[in-house]
């Protein structure tokens, strides 16, 4: 790890490559046989920027309560050091406890602005100069040994774009606009005397109809939420991905996108909007765990987001675009039960507002590609993450 | 200033900007519009079966087809389904062609002009005959006549097979005509009434029930050729004048005596109505309402009316008056897009190819405005209250989200917003798009923004 910041709060830093520490897992890097064969890799992109401080909350930090205000959790599910998992992340916390999940905190790409699009592009391309995805470049590097890859959604995620073949799969029924888009549109219509009231009334009717359909137990909308693409969709996407990944001859790699993490307003703490999303994410993880049970020992699931959120609560009960965020890696192939990387703490903040980006997401990506799929380190640096040599891979993440 | 006018030219008078369109129009927005007032600027010729092809099929092949399916002992519901499929084809073909033309044309104003008149002479599928013929009137009548004399357009529209079937002229028989005396059939006033009320003078245009009846009698003789009339094979599916149906005798219409006989009589009556000042006023009002505001300013109506009266209804001159009306470049976006305008402008904005005909038809249906199916001969409403119902807004939102999902992450909504809205892009919308969580969400917000929903 690069150790951009060295702090007394360093928890447990694996793969201190700089210190010459090499863990057994790294040996696989040099395996002759295509290590990727049959090794499942699922990347879940939480679009909109997950509040990492809510998912993996440093409740033991001195300034935690003061900075987070109403967003502060009183407690949560067990995690090492000052941290607790959000109470809604039962499955993830369970995997962590059984040594099958790890977390990285205060982690970010090298992007330091605050645009969702640009940050997501950087997350997926890993470099500002290239307009294809790092996963696709990895597949291209593997040539004929490359596993099949699928993007689950309406369009090909940037992560899978590029010269290597990849497919997409989308549910047959187009979801309508999701709740988050609707609430943004309501804001945009605030001063529109015609469209504002019309949309407001439509949503009331829609909610009433949805409530009635829930009561009557009618199928169709069940499980899709009032507007068809709320957090409830995460589970459906995960189910679909699980089915595709386990189909005979199916792909080994999948990229899933879960939208709706941009919690500027009324984020909530133990309960509320974000808690519902975290619960849905947890449900999606459980669904993947269950669907991939035959392949679990050879599975790694990477959960990432484009950046973190501001440490302090804002005036609307939410958080704004930040820098350092959280990432999670889980699966039977993962050497879990720990939090990797540096922990900068909350005493000093990036630009006096964000969690310091002490760790580099590309260190995590490189580690997964090297250890899970057996890509050669030099090839990775040259062809997949050019110009990112400073982000040295974590080591020993995968068994 | 010129960018502002260019955005208005492209979005208000055209069918919506494709990226680059506003730049193209910016050097001379008015000139960009005026250059389109030219028959050669009108997209066409349309592809799809002609009225005649559809009707001949209906008159000759269709009964045989039906008989053979029925003889095969097929389930009646299956037969219905097959018939519906067959009848849907011409409509899908025309919808696909005109959507593609609208999405790709550089002459958005000329195409909007065509569509205004197509809706003015609205025909819908309400019967077997109109199912095949209604989609053809725009192609066969409006496109060739849109910048000609209104009287020519009126004549061609009223006497097109689609209109003759839609407003029952095809079955109207003069009671004292040869056929009337033998067949116990009579006058059908429908076309005459709508001609006066909708297509020319307008409700309150100073005509009486007596005028409706007189015009109905003047129109007798005009019908559609086919086996029923024992027409020559060559006349099948064509508008024909059959003197055996014509009511004899002179008629008094709007104070004018029409004593002639033969096919000329209907022409004279229609030309006379076309030239009434009430027609000029009614149409000038409708044009101002379509292009400028739901409740147009009298000075705008006056401006268009003056050109109409001065030129005797030369539609090219009238089109020039529309783009030089006092409020033509008023920055206020007074018109809420109809679902069709929204669909077309959204496809132009995102640069997506029009989806396949069935998907496209599904999109129009979901948004509530499937072409060639207006609810009445008055055509589709042209004011916001008719289209901005809560459910309709939600349907647009779902459509926009689905389109954005189809376009995907490469949509560059921030740049696109500037390119397609120009100076009309509000700070609030620009900010909402910039803050969107994904490009798809940004594009959805762009398409649903107050300024994209209006023109």
């Amino acid at each position: 790890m690069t150790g951009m910041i060295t702090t007394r709060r360093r928890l447990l830093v694996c793969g201190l490559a700089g210190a010459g520490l090499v863990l057994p897992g790294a040996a696989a890097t040099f395996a002759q046989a295509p290590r990727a064969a049959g090794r499942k890799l699922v990347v879940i992109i939480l679009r909109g920027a997950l509040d990492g401080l809510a998912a993996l909350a440093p409740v033991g930090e001195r300034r935690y309560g003061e900075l987070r205000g109403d967003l502060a959790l009183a407690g949560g599910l067990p995690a090492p050091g000052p941290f607790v998992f959000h109470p809604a992340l039962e499955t993830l916390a369970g995997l962590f406890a059984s040594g099958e999940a790890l977390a990285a905190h205060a982690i970010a790409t090298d992007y330091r602005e605050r645009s969702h699009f640009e940050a997501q592009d950087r997350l997926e391309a890993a470099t500002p100069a290239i307009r294809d995805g790092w996963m696709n470049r990895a597949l291209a590097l593997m040539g004929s040994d490359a596993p099949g890859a699928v993007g689950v959604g309406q369009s090909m995620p940037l992560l899978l774009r590029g010269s290597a073949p990849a497919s997409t799969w989308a549910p047959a029924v187009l979801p309508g606009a999701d709740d988050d888009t609707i609430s943004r549109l309501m804001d945009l219509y605030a001063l529109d005397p015609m469209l504002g009231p019309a949309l407001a009334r439509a949503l009331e009717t829609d909610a009433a109809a949805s409530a009635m359909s829930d009561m009557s137990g009618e199928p169709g909308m069940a499980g899709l939420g009032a507007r068809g693409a709320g957090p409830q969709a995460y589970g459906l996407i995960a189910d679909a991905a699980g089915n595709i990944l386990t189909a005979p001859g199916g792909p080994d790699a999948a990229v899933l996108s879960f939208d709706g993490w941009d919690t500027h307003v009324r984020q909530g703490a133990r309960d509320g909007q974000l808690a519902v999303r975290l619960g849905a994410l947890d449900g999606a993880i459980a669904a993947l765990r269950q669907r991939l049970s035959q392949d679990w020992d050879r599975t790694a699931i990477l959960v990432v987001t484009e950046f973190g959120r501001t440490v302090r609560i804002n005036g609307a009960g939410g958080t704004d675009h930040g820098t350092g965020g959280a990432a999670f890696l889980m699966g039977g192939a993962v050497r879990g039960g720990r939090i990797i990387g540096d922990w900068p703490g909350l005493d000093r903040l990036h630009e006096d507002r964000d969690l310091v980006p002490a760790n580099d997401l590309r260190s995590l990506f490189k580690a997964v590609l090297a250890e899970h799929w057996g890509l050669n380190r030099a090839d990775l640096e040259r062809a997949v993450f050019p110009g990112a040599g400073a982000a040295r891979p974590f080591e020993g993440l995968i068994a | 200033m010129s960018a502002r006018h260019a955005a208005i030219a492209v979005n208000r008078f055209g069918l919506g900007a494709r990226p680059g369109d506003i730049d193209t129009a910016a050097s001379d927005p008015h000139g960009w519009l005026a250059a389109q007032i030219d028959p050669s600027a009108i997209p066409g010729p349309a592809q799809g079966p002609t009225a005649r092809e559809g009707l001949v099929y209906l008159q000759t092949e269709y009964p045989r087809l039906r008989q053979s399916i029925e003889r095969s002992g097929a389930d009646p519901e299956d037969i219905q389904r097959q018939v519906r499929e067959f009848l849907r084809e011409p409509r899908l073909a025309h919808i696909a062609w005109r959507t593609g033309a609208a999405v790709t044309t550089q002459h958005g104003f000329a195409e909007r002009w065509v569509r205004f008149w197509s809706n003015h002479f609205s025909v819908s599928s309400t019967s077997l005959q109109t199912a095949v013929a209604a989609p053809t009137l725009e192609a066969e009548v409006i496109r060739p006549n849109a910048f000609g004399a209104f009287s020519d357009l009126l004549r061609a529209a009223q006497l097109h097979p689609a209109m003759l079937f839609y407003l029952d002229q095809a079955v109207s028989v003069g009671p004292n005509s040869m056929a009337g005396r033998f067949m116990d059939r009579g006058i059908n006033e429908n076309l005459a009434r709508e001609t006066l009320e909708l297509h020319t003078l307008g409700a309150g245009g100073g005509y009486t029930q007596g005028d409706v009846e007189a015009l109905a009698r003047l129109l007798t003789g005009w019908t559609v050729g086919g086996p029923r009339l024992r027409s020559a094979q060559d006349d099948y599916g064509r508008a024909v004048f059959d003197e055996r149906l014509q009511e004899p005798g002179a008629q008094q219409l709007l104070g004018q005596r029409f004593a002639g006989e033969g096919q000329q009589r209907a022409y004279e009556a229609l030309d006379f109505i076309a030239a009434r000042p009430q027609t000029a006023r009614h149409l000038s009002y409708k044009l101002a309402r379509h292009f400028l505001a739901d409740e147009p300013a009298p000075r705008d109506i006056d401006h268009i009316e003056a050109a109409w009266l001065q030129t005797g209804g030369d539609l090219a001159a009238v089109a020039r008056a529309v783009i030089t009306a006092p409020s033509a470049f008023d920055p206020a976006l007074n018109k809420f897009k109809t679902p069709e305008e929204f669909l077309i402008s959204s496809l132009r904005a995102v640069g997506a190819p029009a989806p396949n005909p069935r998907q496209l038809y599904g999109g129009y249906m979901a948004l509530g405005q499937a072409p060639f199916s207006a609810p009445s001969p008055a055509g589709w409403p042209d004011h916001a209250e008719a289209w901005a119902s809560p459910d309709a807004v939600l349907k647009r939102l779902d459509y926009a989200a689905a389109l954005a999902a189809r376009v995907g992450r490469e949509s560059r909504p921030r740049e696109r917003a500037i390119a397609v809205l120009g100076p009309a892009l509000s700070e609030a919308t620009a900010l909402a798009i910039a803050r969107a969580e994904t490009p798809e969400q940004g594009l959805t917000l762009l398409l649903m923004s107050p300024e994209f929903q209006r023109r």
Side-chain angles (χ1 to χ4, degrees):
Chain A
M1 192 49 222
T2 59
M4 280 182 227
I5 287 203
T6 310
T7 77
R8 62 192 155 77
R9 293 173 189 275
R10 175 167 300 190
L11 287 171
L12 170 58
V13 182
C14 282
L16 279 166
L21 177 62
V22 177
L23 292 170
T29 303
F30 306 105
Q32 292 299 310
R35 180 175 160 91
R39 294 182 73 93
K40 309 284 186 195
L41 176 57
V42 180
V43 179
I44 299 176
I45 302 175
L46 306 181
R47 299 190 190 276
L50 162 73
D51 183 6
L53 295 172
L56 186 56
V59 294
E61 281 286 336
R62 183 174 60 83
R63 295 179 68 200
Y64 173 77
E66 162 217 336
L67 290 164
R68 297 297 277 180
D70 288 347
L71 301 184
L73 288 172
L77 303 169
F83 298 103
V84 294
F85 281 105
H86 190 283
L89 294 173
E90 267 181 73
T91 307
L92 177 57
L95 290 172
F96 190 93
S98 63
E100 294 167 286
L102 59 79
H105 220 318
I107 194 162
T109 64
D110 58 335
Y111 177 77
R112 290 292 173 269
E113 305 300 319
R114 293 191 170 84
S115 152
H116 289 297
F117 309 164
E118 289 169 5
Q120 287 171 36
D121 283 355
R122 191 69 63 86
L123 179 76
E124 296 173 72
T127 150
I130 304 180
R131 289 294 295 172
D132 57 22
W134 56 260
M135 193 183 235
N136 189 285
R137 294 198 294 274
L139 296 170
L141 191 59
M142 293 156 85
S144 57
D145 291 334
V150 61
V152 182
Q154 292 291 329
S155 62
M156 184 70 79
L158 176 58
L159 193 54
L160 285 177
R161 288 200 188 178
S163 61
S167 62
T168 58
W169 182 90
V173 179
L174 279 181
D178 60 83
D179 293 342
D180 178 55
T181 305
I182 291 171
S183 94
R184 287 163 192 256
L185 192 59
M186 282 302 292
D187 289 347
L188 190 53
Y189 284 177
L191 296 176
D192 194 306
M194 185 177 79
L195 292 172
L199 183 57
R201 274 198 302 279
L203 296 176
E204 283 167 23
T205 313
D206 211 50
S210 167
M212 279 176 64
S213 126
D214 284 354
M215 284 193 310
S216 68
E218 253 178 58
M221 290 302 280
L224 269 173
R227 295 293 315 143
Q232 292 85 343
Y234 302 171
L236 298 181
I237 293 171
D239 280 340
N243 289 340
I244 295 169
L245 288 167
T246 52
D252 287 329
V255 178
L256 284 53
S257 293
F258 294 169
D259 294 351
W261 298 90
D262 198 14
T263 48
H264 287 284
V265 182
R266 292 186 301 280
Q267 174 173 311
R270 186 179 210 290
D271 302 302
Q273 200 205 130
L274 181 58
V276 169
R277 273 186 204 283
L278 289 170
L281 169 64
D282 198 66
I285 292 169
L288 284 169
R289 166 75 185 85
Q290 195 252 322
R291 304 243 169 204
L292 292 169
S293 54
Q294 296 297 315
D295 302 283
W296 188 245
D297 287 347
R298 288 167 290 147
T299 293
I301 302 169
L302 181 60
V303 180
V304 292
T305 192
E306 68 261 34
F307 44 58
R309 307 193 68 84
T310 49
V311 178
R312 291 184 186 86
I313 184 170
N314 67 19
T319 51
D320 299 321
H321 301 181
T323 307
F328 303 93
L329 182 67
M330 67 209 74
V334 173
R335 293 160 49 97
R338 56 218 171 103
I339 296 172
I340 59 171
D342 295 342
W343 170 242
L346 300 180
D347 289 349
R348 195 173 70 79
L349 302 181
H350 177 69
E351 299 182 354
D352 191 35
R353 51 176 274 163
D354 303 341
L355 184 58
V356 171
N359 305 291
D360 196 315
L361 271 167
R362 294 167 302 179
S363 305
L364 184 56
F365 302 157
K366 287 178 187 177
V368 169
L369 291 177
E371 299 181 2
H372 194 53
W373 275 356
L375 268 74
N376 175 289
R377 169 83 190 271
D379 289 343
L380 273 178
E381 298 293 354
R382 175 181 53 78
V384 183
F385 298 101
R392 302 182 63 179
F394 288 106
E395 291 182 26
L397 305 191
I398 304 285
Chain B
M1 199 59 186
S2 71
R4 189 172 291 281
H5 281 193
I8 289 170
V10 172
N11 287 324
R12 177 176 303 162
F13 293 100
L15 295 173
R18 299 167 302 166
D21 282 353
I22 293 176
D23 290 341
T24 305
S27 63
D28 181 8
H30 176 266
W32 183 82
L33 289 170
Q36 298 179 40
I37 303 176
D38 186 325
S40 70
I42 294 173
Q47 285 160 24
T50 64
R52 181 149 189 273
E53 286 166 350
L55 290 168
V56 166
Y57 195 92
L58 209 55
Q59 289 165 339
T60 57
E61 298 295 318
Y62 171 73
R64 286 202 277 273
L65 169 82
R66 214 184 149 99
Q67 224 169 34
S68 80
I69 324 178
E70 270 163 4
R71 284 213 189 104
S72 72
D75 183 344
E77 282 192 15
D78 268 357
I79 298 173
Q80 285 300 329
R81 201 171 307 123
Q82 288 196 39
V83 168
R84 269 201 305 274
E85 285 286 302
F86 157 72
L87 293 173
R88 220 153 64 126
E89 286 312 316
R91 189 137 76 118
L92 289 180
H94 279 275
I95 290 173
W97 182 84
R98 79 199 283 277
T99 304
V103 170
T104 53
T105 184
Q106 299 171 31
H107 302 133
F109 176 50
E111 180 62 17
R112 177 179 286 284
W113 188 258
V114 164
R115 282 152 186 260
F116 169 83
W117 291 107
S118 183
N119 192 46
H120 179 68
F121 292 109
S122 179
V123 281
S124 298
S125 311
T126 50
S127 63
L128 291 176
Q129 289 83 7
T130 48
V132 298
T136 67
L137 186 141
E138 177 180 289
E140 296 173 15
V141 170
I142 309 295
R143 289 185 192 280
N145 291 292
F147 289 125
F150 175 72
S151 53
D152 290 344
L153 178 61
L154 178 68
R155 216 192 257 194
Q158 306 312 75
L159 302 181
H160 184 270
M163 189 69 83
L164 295 172
F165 276 121
Y166 180 52
L167 293 178
D168 306 315
Q169 179 62 30
V171 296
S172 184
V173 175
N176 299 303
S177 68
M178 189 197 292
R181 280 179 282 135
F182 288 101
M183 284 164 44
D184 193 26
R185 296 278 287 278
I187 290 276
N188 190 308
E189 297 174 3
N190 208 0
L191 178 61
R193 181 180 307 283
E194 305 303 12
T195 300
L196 294 172
E197 178 182 330
L198 300 174
H199 299 149
T200 58
L201 309 178
Y207 61 91
T208 64
Q209 173 60 23
D211 292 318
V212 171
E213 291 169 15
L215 180 57
R217 288 192 287 269
L218 289 166
L219 291 172
T220 51
W222 281 97
T223 186
V224 179
R228 186 177 52 89
L229 289 173
R230 300 204 196 87
S231 313
Q233 193 88 27
D234 208 35
D235 281 340
Y236 278 24
R238 283 190 207 279
V240 295
F241 178 77
D242 188 329
E243 60 192 10
R244 295 171 299 172
L245 309 177
Q246 188 171 47
E247 180 70 1
Q251 303 296 332
Q252 196 78 13
L253 172 66
L254 299 162
Q256 177 91 4
R257 188 179 142 89
F258 291 84
E261 299 280 324
Q263 63 177 19
Q264 206 55 34
R265 197 171 73 170
Y267 296 160
E268 285 164 9
L270 290 171
D271 286 355
F272 173 73
I273 304 164
R276 296 297 85 206
Q278 293 90 338
T279 298
R281 187 70 189 173
H282 178 217
L283 270 301
S284 299
Y285 164 78
K286 276 194 79 170
L287 284 161
R289 187 183 62 176
H290 177 75
F291 283 94
L292 303 176
D294 288 359
E295 290 175 28
R299 62 192 183 133
D300 291 318
I301 307 172
D302 294 347
H303 179 84
I304 299 167
E305 184 187 25
W308 188 294
L309 292 173
Q310 220 163 48
T311 63
D314 169 11
L315 295 180
V318 172
R320 280 189 286 275
V322 166
I323 58 172
T324 53
S327 310
F329 288 89
D330 194 296
L333 305 176
N334 288 320
K335 290 298 292 184
F336 182 62
K337 289 178 183 175
T338 65
E340 184 181 49
E341 290 170 344
F342 169 58
L343 186 145
I344 298 292
S345 59
S346 69
L347 292 174
R348 288 177 67 89
V350 302
N356 74 48
R358 265 155 220 282
Q359 281 177 328
L360 189 59
Y361 189 71
Y364 282 116
M365 287 290 281
L367 291 171
Q369 197 182 14
F372 315 120
S373 69
S376 85
W380 298 105
D382 204 358
H383 54 274
E385 303 90 86
W387 297 117
S389 75
D391 183 59
V393 173
L394 206 51
K395 293 276 170 30
R396 288 187 190 209
L397 174 56
D398 285 342
Y399 166 86
L403 177 60
R406 191 156 66 86
V407 175
R409 300 189 55 78
E410 293 301 308
S411 63
R412 303 168 67 81
R414 278 179 296 188
E415 294 82 353
R416 195 169 295 274
I418 295 163
V420 303
L421 290 169
L425 174 65
S426 71
E427 275 180 41
T429 296
L431 197 60
I433 294 169
R435 283 184 178 160
E437 197 176 76
T438 59
E440 289 91 333
Q441 187 181 59
L443 184 60
T444 305
L445 292 170
L446 162 58
L447 298 177
M448 290 308 294
S449 66
E451 57 268 47
F452 192 87
Q453 289 292 322
R454 294 181 171 88
R455 59 181 175 90

